Amino acid sequence: MDTRVELLKRFYNTMNPRMLKLEAEIYGFNFLDALAANDITLEYGQLSEKLIQKYKLLNLTEQHLNQFLQGHINKEYNVCQYFNQIANNIFCFNLDNNYKVNNTALIPETTLALKTLKQYLEEYALTPLVIASGRGYHTWCRLDTPVDNNQLFNFSIRIAAKVMASLHEQGYNYNKIKFSVYPNPRVVTRGSLRLFGSKHIKTKEFSYVYSSHGLLDETSSWKYFEKYLTSKIIAKDQFLQAHTAVLQEIQ
Amino acid sequence: MRNVTPFSGISSSITTTQQPFQHPKELFSIKTIAIDLDDTLNNFTETLQNTDFSYKNSYGISPEKFESYLSQAKQAAVIDTDLEITDFTHFCYQIHEQCYLLAKANTDGVRFMHWLKEHHWKIIICTHRDLRLSITPTKKWLKENDIPYDYLFSAINKIVFCKLWKIPYLIDDSIFNIEYGKKYGIQVYYPIMEKHSQLPADVGKGFHSFDEVKQWIHE
């Protein structure tokens, strides 16, 4: 198996292995028949902008997942995964440009929100992994042990609120960005996130890691991703301390 | 036609291309049709306009804003904004989601769907709904109303979807789709409504009963 597939599986190991969303250019009924022949269920398909097809697939086996991840690494398509419905060892802040047009442009509000978000997380000794998503940033935190989704959400929604409040206080309009937190227990089966190692389906840009030195190239991004997994994982107790502190601050 | 990369994620024996479909079963029954949901198979707009929605804290807006937004949502108002997601779009989704479950199925349409199934049509439900958000109520409603289908798709532009997927027929009430279907070689049939009165005579084909469509797709 490609070591990068193993890395992805390790990083995202609490995500639901039985379902995923594929973002692809492939289409046609023979493709759907191929899925069915492999006992994969298409829950729904979606034709979005620029002829991009999205397929929510269910009933995957581990072998299917391995194969899809290999295709993702080969940049044949993108794989997006769904969070575990009960508990996860990762949570993510998804920051996007909220404009209808030209929405892959990096706007000041996104940059400032990311800077503030990182600052708040690091105040609690939570080191995030920031990945350029094509329309903004995915800011992941990886824990050593799964935590109940409600605790993850209660923490992350408050951090997001603090970031928005900070933007407002500095005279920026936070409505210009979309700020989503994952996992959200209310919609855990419908919100998926693109995995690291993808290329953005519209911009064709790789999902580069954003480090303190700026955006890394593709090779360095993979190295950083591996390094994060081996040396920057957050202890559950550290997270729980941060959770308690944030909930005391914002009731 | 564009050759598609072998789909390594599924089966090494499969190489998919955008050529005419080669599956033996399909050679005998290449009958594919796309059908819209809202205001075609159900009475979405009537439900939206006639339902008494009550204020709930979960809307996340004040009661005053609720009244104002509800009035605009019922008129299908479009707010002039550069932004993709706003308080209003979020509110509209919450109201629409309730309508997806409350809307009544068109019994004539349901019978037609069974007729299609019995006659071995491949049925694609093609909706403008954002299925990322509304898949659960959509599937629940289809099941409760015993509506058969093969695939469920969401498409921003249904004419492009039908063209790309080589679906020759679309049943849909949307004026945009009726007008553009002809230009792109998609035969669009629509349930006649007041909003269609200004349509040129040479686009689409309006019907009062789905039985009329049975005749047309058999011609």
Side-chain angles (χ1 to χ4, degrees), chain B residues 35 108-116 171 210 213-214 217:
Chain B
I35 297 160
D108 179 32
V110 176
R111 276 198 306 272
F112 174 72
M113 297 294 275
H114 282 276
W115 179 87
L116 288 172
I171 303 182
F210 276 88
V213 181
K214 290 181 193 173
I217 60 179

Side-chain angles (χ1 to χ4, degrees), chain A residues 36 92 148 156 168 182 206 211:
Chain A
C92 185
D148 180 89
S156 53
H168 179 68
Y182 295 76
F206 183 75
S211 78

Side-chain angles (χ1 to χ4, degrees), chain A residues 69-177:
Chain A
L69 291 177
Q70 188 64 62
H72 171 87
I73 284 167
N74 295 346
K75 299 175 185 164
E76 293 170 27
Y77 40 76
N78 289 328
V79 168
C80 309
Q81 277 197 280
Y82 294 83
F83 286 78
N84 183 288
Q85 288 188 52
I86 308 295
N88 283 276
N89 58 15
I90 43 175
F91 58 98
C92 185
F93 300 85
N94 185 9
L95 268 171
D96 279 335
N97 177 327
N98 189 28
Y99 280 95
K100 285 179 185 167
V101 295
N102 197 22
N103 54 26
T104 54
L106 208 53
I107 55 174
E109 286 76 7
T110 311
T111 312
L112 181 60
L114 176 66
K115 186 182 162 194
T116 312
L117 172 63
K118 278 184 70 183
Q119 187 188 318
Y120 286 146
L121 291 171
E122 283 162 1
E123 276 174 17
Y124 297 111
L126 308 179
T127 307
L129 173 71
V130 182
I131 295 170
S133 67
R135 196 171 164 175
Y137 297 98
H138 290 168
T139 301
W140 295 89
C141 288
R142 173 67 155 79
L143 311 176
D144 61 2
T145 313
V147 169
D148 180 89
N149 284 347
N150 290 305
Q151 283 182 299
L152 295 174
F153 181 75
N154 286 337
F155 173 77
S156 53
I157 197 72
R158 283 168 172 77
I159 292 289
K162 281 179 65 159
V163 172
M164 298 294 228
S166 172
L167 256 64
H168 179 68
E169 283 161 12
Q170 293 175 72
Y172 288 89
N173 179 0
Y174 58 74
N175 290 313
K176 290 182 181 177
I177 54 173

Side-chain angles (χ1 to χ4, degrees), chain A:
Chain A
M1 191 191 296
D2 188 320
T3 53
R4 291 170 299 176
V5 170
E6 288 174 356
L7 267 179
L8 290 179
K9 288 184 77 178
R10 273 172 55 207
F11 189 89
Y12 300 106
N13 72 354
T14 54
M15 293 191 102
N16 190 333
R18 301 272 290 158
M19 64 163 78
L20 58 78
K21 185 182 278 184
L22 213 58
E23 294 179 340
E25 291 177 340
I26 193 169
Y27 60 88
F29 290 108
N30 43 1
F31 167 65
L32 300 187
D33 277 7
L35 293 174
N38 283 270
D39 297 323
I40 295 172
T41 303
L42 172 69
E43 185 172 48
Y44 67 88
Q46 188 186 348
L47 173 66
S48 54
E49 293 168 24
K50 299 193 176 180
L51 305 186
I52 296 157
Q53 317 274 336
K54 299 181 182 179
Y55 307 95
K56 184 173 180 184
L57 307 179
L58 310 177
N59 301 326
L60 302 176
T61 63
E62 187 175 5
Q63 190 188 358
H64 292 142
L65 180 62
N66 290 343
Q67 291 174 329
F68 278 120
L69 291 177
Q70 188 64 62
H72 171 87
I73 284 167
N74 295 346
K75 299 175 185 164
E76 293 170 27
Y77 40 76
N78 289 328
V79 168
C80 309
Q81 277 197 280
Y82 294 83
F83 286 78
N84 183 288
Q85 288 188 52
I86 308 295
N88 283 276
N89 58 15
I90 43 175
F91 58 98
C92 185
F93 300 85
N94 185 9
L95 268 171
D96 279 335
N97 177 327
N98 189 28
Y99 280 95
K100 285 179 185 167
V101 295
N102 197 22
N103 54 26
T104 54
L106 208 53
I107 55 174
E109 286 76 7
T110 311
T111 312
L112 181 60
L114 176 66
K115 186 182 162 194
T116 312
L117 172 63
K118 278 184 70 183
Q119 187 188 318
Y120 286 146
L121 291 171
E122 283 162 1
E123 276 174 17
Y124 297 111
L126 308 179
T127 307
L129 173 71
V130 182
I131 295 170
S133 67
R135 196 171 164 175
Y137 297 98
H138 290 168
T139 301
W140 295 89
C141 288
R142 173 67 155 79
L143 311 176
D144 61 2
T145 313
V147 169
D148 180 89
N149 284 347
N150 290 305
Q151 283 182 299
L152 295 174
F153 181 75
N154 286 337
F155 173 77
S156 53
I157 197 72
R158 283 168 172 77
I159 292 289
K162 281 179 65 159
V163 172
M164 298 294 228
S166 172
L167 256 64
H168 179 68
E169 283 161 12
Q170 293 175 72
Y172 288 89
N173 179 0
Y174 58 74
N175 290 313
K176 290 182 181 177
I177 54 173
K178 283 195 283 188
F179 203 164
S180 323
V181 297
Y182 295 76
N184 179 339
R186 280 196 308 123
V187 291
V188 73
T189 58
R190 69 186 196 198
S192 65
L193 276 177
R194 210 160 359 105
L195 307 187
F196 169 68
S198 65
K199 63 170 185 183
H200 190 265
I201 203 89
K202 287 186 199 167
T203 63
K204 309 295 178 195
E205 287 281 313
F206 183 75
S207 51
Y208 302 111
V209 167
Y210 185 80
S211 78
S212 50
H213 305 294
L215 278 184
L216 304 179
D217 64 26
E218 187 171 335
T219 308
S220 303
S221 292
W222 274 107
K223 282 183 185 161
Y224 191 100
F225 184 73
E226 184 172 14
K227 187 178 154 197
Y228 181 91
L229 198 50
T230 52
S231 63
K232 296 188 178 178
I233 284 188
I234 301 155
K236 181 179 178 180
D237 284 349
Q238 188 66 45
F239 170 77
L240 293 176
Q241 280 178 31
H243 174 268
T244 304
V246 170
L247 263 68
Q248 278 173 356
E249 186 185 341
I250 307 174
Q251 296 291 318

Side-chain angles (χ1 to χ4, degrees), chain B residues 33-64:
Chain B
I33 189 164
I35 297 160
D36 169 48
L37 275 176
D38 296 320
D39 290 332
T40 298
L41 282 178
N42 71 16
N43 66 341
F44 174 84
T45 299
E46 191 184 340
T47 306
L48 174 66
Q49 288 173 350
N50 297 338
T51 302
D52 287 326
F53 297 96
S54 306
Y55 175 76
K56 291 183 286 192
N57 281 333
S58 59
Y59 288 126
I61 53 176
S62 67
E64 294 74 25

